[in-house]
């Protein structure tokens, strides 16, 4: 008769600890835990697990034939407003169906573990704000606001901009009726003809920063200040292919911050940061929170 032995001793959890998962050295963990002012810099890889395709993922279906750089530009909009509008409608519909993933939620949770924490994102999907992040700098604008299109070659003086949509118009003496205000506020990226501003008639476009356009100087100078003052920068899901955003993580390193990178694949930052954590944002960011929680 085979006696089964006493119950086998409870198995030690085989789950690796956050420190093991992240493969961070004790010295680096200690340094991480001492950080007080954090910047989380994110690219499209941050939203990949929310189902939002990155630029570098092959565009699917009808859009496979376009290079984003060739559609996301004022020249492309000037040449064919409806084509560019339709591409953004396609992307806005994907984003509207997306929800923050555990990576976005982990970043929102980190806010309570630092004296100061800001998100600097290249993304235009507002998933960080949906997850509860309070200070989010959108370097490249967002998909949800519209603004008047201005031909890149026109140098309209500031006084000649529409008070409602910011686009070029007759300017001086313009009155914005309540009806025009309400109509403008009801407009968004949706199927159909490219809408015109109800006050000045110029074509409307998504309030994103296109290739060849300047970033909002107030946003970019605030981003540079935060990067200069932080003692921790975590760079998540960014190919660092686009300037001037791509220079920010290395600038944090230059100012002496601890720089940790999370990406599926190495980038130009990987060899010069303090830790390159190869993996998915939605898996590794929650591990970082657990690590800081277990301090
Ligand atoms: C400027 C908003 C001054 C729009 C974007 C020639 C002519 C004109 C300009 C230039 C030129 N040569 C260079 C320039 C400058 C240009 C530039 O950098 N071009 C590149 C192509 C070389 N930059 C500009 O034009 C900027 N303005 O310079 O003004 C000026 C003015 C006039 C003339 C000259 C200069 C403005 C750039 C802003 C462009 N707008 N987005 C929209 O969304 O439609 S950029 C867009 O692409 C994104 O915002 C992002 O920043 C960038 C890269 O996109 P992706 O590759 O998809 O995303 P990401 O980089 O984040 O890559 C995905 C990463 O995630 C990968 O590393 C992957 O491994 C990783 N990943 C994937 N899944 C996961 C993951 N990681 C973790 N977990 C996962 N699950």
């Amino acid at each position: 008769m085979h006696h089964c032995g006493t119950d086998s001793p409870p198995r030690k959890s085989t789950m690796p600890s956050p420190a093991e998962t992240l493969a961070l050295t004790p010295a680096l963990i200690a340094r991480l835990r001492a950080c007080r002012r954090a910047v989380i810099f994110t690219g499209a890889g941050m939203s990949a697990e929310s189902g939002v395709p990155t630029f570098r993922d092959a565009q699917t279906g009808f859009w496979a034939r376009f290079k984003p750089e060739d559609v996301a530009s004022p020249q492309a909009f000037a040449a064919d407003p409806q084509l560019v509008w339709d591409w953004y409608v396609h992307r806005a519909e994907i984003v509207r169906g997306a929800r923050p993933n555990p990576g976005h939620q982990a970043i929102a949770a980190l806010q309570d573990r630092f004296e100061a924490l800001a998100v600097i994102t290249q993304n235009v999907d507002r998933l960080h704000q949906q997850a509860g992040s309070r200070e989010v700098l959108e370097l490249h604008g967002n998909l949800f606001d519209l603004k008047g299109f201005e031909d890149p070659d026109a140098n309209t003086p500031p006084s000649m901009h529409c008070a409602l949509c910011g686009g070029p118009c007759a300017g001086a003496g313009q009155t914005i009726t309540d009806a025009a205000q309400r109509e403008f506020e009801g407009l968004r990226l949706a199927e159909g003809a490219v809408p015109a501003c109800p006050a000045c008639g110029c074509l409307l476009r998504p309030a994103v920063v296109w290739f060849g356009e300047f970033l909002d100087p107030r946003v970019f100078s605030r981003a540079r200040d935060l990067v200069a003052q932080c003692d921790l920068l975590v760079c998540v899901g960014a190919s660092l292919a686009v300037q001037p955003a791509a220079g920010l993580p290395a600038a944090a390193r230059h100012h002496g911050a601890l720089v940790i990178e999370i990406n599926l694949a190495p980038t130009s930052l990987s060899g010069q940061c303090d830790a390159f954590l190869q993996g998915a944002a939605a898996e590794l960011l929650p591990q970082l929170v657990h690590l800081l929680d277990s301090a």
Side-chain angles (χ1 to χ4, degrees):
M1 171 94 154
H2 174 67
H3 282 276
C4 61
T6 54
D7 286 344
S8 56
R11 279 162 47 88
K12 180 176 166 304
S13 156
T14 54
M15 287 295 290
S17 72
E20 288 160 340
T21 305
L22 298 174
L24 294 176
T25 63
L28 199 134
I29 292 171
R31 200 175 150 205
L32 173 63
R33 285 179 172 153
C35 290
R36 290 284 168 273
R37 308 181 57 75
V39 163
I40 317 292
F41 179 91
T42 67
M46 183 71 233
S47 300
E49 283 142 301
S50 296
V52 180
T54 70
F55 265 28
R56 297 297 171 274
D57 289 349
Q59 297 290 346
T60 50
F62 172 74
W63 301 105
R65 66 195 73 175
F66 297 97
K67 267 181 65 186
E69 289 85 9
D70 297 339
V71 192
S73 80
Q75 290 75 13
F77 188 83
D80 188 343
Q82 192 64 57
L83 174 79
V84 175
W85 178 263
D86 291 348
W87 183 52
Y88 277 94
V89 168
H90 164 68
R91 291 179 55 203
E93 282 166 354
I94 293 169
V95 165
R96 287 186 189 118
R99 292 292 166 268
N101 63 54
H104 294 104
Q105 285 148 3
I107 290 171
L110 281 177
Q111 290 176 115
D112 304 331
R113 288 165 185 76
F114 290 90
E115 278 166 24
L117 183 145
V119 177
I120 299 177
T121 188
Q122 302 169 111
N123 299 335
V124 296
D125 55 33
R126 297 211 142 159
L127 289 176
H128 283 300
Q129 293 92 326
Q130 266 191 60
S133 286
R134 294 186 291 271
E135 180 163 18
V136 182
L137 279 73
E138 295 175 319
L139 296 178
H140 296 157
N142 75 85
L143 280 178
F144 298 90
D145 295 332
L146 298 178
K147 65 179 188 180
F149 172 68
E150 181 166 15
D151 195 294
D153 304 328
N155 283 320
T156 315
S159 62
M160 306 288 274
H161 282 99
C162 174
L164 189 56
C165 75
C169 74
Q174 186 192 26
T175 50
I176 309 289
T177 63
D178 289 349
Q181 179 79 38
R182 277 195 305 277
E183 188 184 339
F184 180 69
E185 282 160 6
L187 293 170
R188 63 186 203 142
L189 276 168
E191 292 284 344
V194 183
C197 171
C200 73
C202 73
L203 285 181
L204 298 177
R205 44 147 304 172
V208 297
V209 178
W210 276 331
F211 289 96
E213 289 187 322
F214 289 98
L215 279 62
D216 180 326
R218 292 157 304 181
V219 174
F220 192 59
S221 63
R222 170 110 178 101
R224 274 199 305 223
D225 291 347
L226 287 167
V227 160
Q229 294 154 11
C230 73
D231 54 12
L232 170 66
L233 183 138
V234 183
C235 181
V236 189
S239 65
L240 301 174
V242 174
Q243 295 297 349
L248 292 171
R253 185 102 179 83
H254 171 73
H255 288 288
L258 173 64
V259 176
I260 294 173
E261 181 181 32
I262 291 175
N263 201 311
L264 290 181
T267 70
S268 56
L269 180 72
S270 309
Q272 54 179 307
C273 62
D274 295 281
F276 169 59
L277 310 179
Q278 187 149 14
E283 277 157 45
L284 296 189
L285 280 165
Q287 294 289 341
L288 206 56
V289 173
H290 293 323
L291 185 65
L292 286 164
D293 273 348
S294 54

